[in-house]
Amino acid sequence: MKLKYIIPLFLLFALGTISSCDLLGNADDVSFEAELPLAFTVDEQADNPSGKSYTDSQLLNASSDPDVAKYASKIKEFKVNRITYRISGATDPLVSFTNGTLKLASGKTIATVSSVSLSNTAELELNADTAGFNELASALLSDKQEMVQLQGTLSKTPIKFYVDFTFYTTITANAL
């Protein structure tokens, strides 16, 4: 009769031990937020009164964040939550930037904006492409950096202005 109770208790104990290994493996994880900056200087000096296409690339380097650098070899996951931009220093605030797209080196779109007035200097959020966010997160997990390309059309040139992007991320790392 006692054996009848001992076997289920033993099985329950064994299952609890096995599943708790996974729980213990995640217990030492730390998650933190990081804001990764990426700056572009748009400087088109040729005279194009009817507009001009614009393309430039910059390196997004997550390791420039001190927390990312601290846990670099222990990072288990990157998650891109949102991307914002801020325009500053426009030499002609009447110019607009349309069909703006941020892409990865692979060509995958990560975010878009239909039209940006260079007179607006508030921080605004881009329209996210979830699959692009996931691909960027994978690239950052791999080597903590990725080339990001800005594309769009300027309504006229010459024009010079600055675009500062902020990539808001959540990072999970093994604390031990």
Side-chain angles (χ1 to χ4, degrees):
M1 190 76 141
K2 291 181 182 180
L3 188 58
K4 182 173 148 182
Y5 296 111
I6 292 175
I7 292 175
L9 284 174
F10 176 74
L11 289 175
L12 185 61
F13 177 73
L15 286 174
T17 303
I18 292 170
S19 65
S20 68
C21 289
D22 289 336
L23 294 174
L24 290 175
N26 292 333
D28 62 346
D29 286 353
V30 61
S31 288
F32 57 93
E33 307 294 317
E35 296 176 10
L36 308 177
L38 183 65
F40 283 85
T41 299
V42 179
D43 189 5
E44 294 291 331
Q45 295 306 311
D47 189 21
N48 293 299
S50 60
K52 182 177 192 258
S53 292
Y54 175 81
T55 302
D56 192 16
S57 297
Q58 296 292 331
L59 182 67
L60 176 63
N61 185 356
S63 295
S64 64
D65 182 276
D67 288 330
V68 173
K70 177 180 175 183
Y71 292 104
S73 65
K74 299 175 182 182
I75 293 177
K76 296 167 63 173
E77 178 183 39
F78 272 89
K79 180 181 178 203
V80 181
N81 301 313
R82 65 189 179 110
I83 304 171
T84 63
Y85 68 94
R86 183 182 302 268
I87 304 290
S88 63
T91 55
D92 184 351
L94 299 178
V95 173
S96 62
F97 185 74
T98 57
N99 300 318
T101 305
L102 282 180
K103 292 185 174 191
L104 299 176
S106 68
K108 179 66 180 161
T109 298
I110 53 176
T112 61
V113 65
S114 58
S115 182
V116 174
S117 169
L118 300 186
S119 64
N120 187 353
T121 59
E123 183 177 27
L124 299 170
E125 191 167 339
L126 293 170
N127 300 316
D129 180 298
T130 304
F133 274 24
N134 292 338
E135 191 170 319
L136 174 58
S138 293
L140 291 174
L141 182 60
S142 174
D143 62 2
K144 314 306 177 269
Q145 60 185 9
E146 179 66 16
M147 286 301 291
V148 176
Q149 183 181 69
L150 172 62
Q151 295 179 339
T153 304
L154 297 162
S155 62
K156 71 176 188 171
T157 62
I159 186 68
K160 181 176 182 179
F161 62 97
Y162 306 95
V163 185
D164 295 312
F165 293 98
T166 303
F167 291 72
Y168 292 86
T169 62
T170 302
I171 300 163
T172 304
N174 187 336
L176 299 178

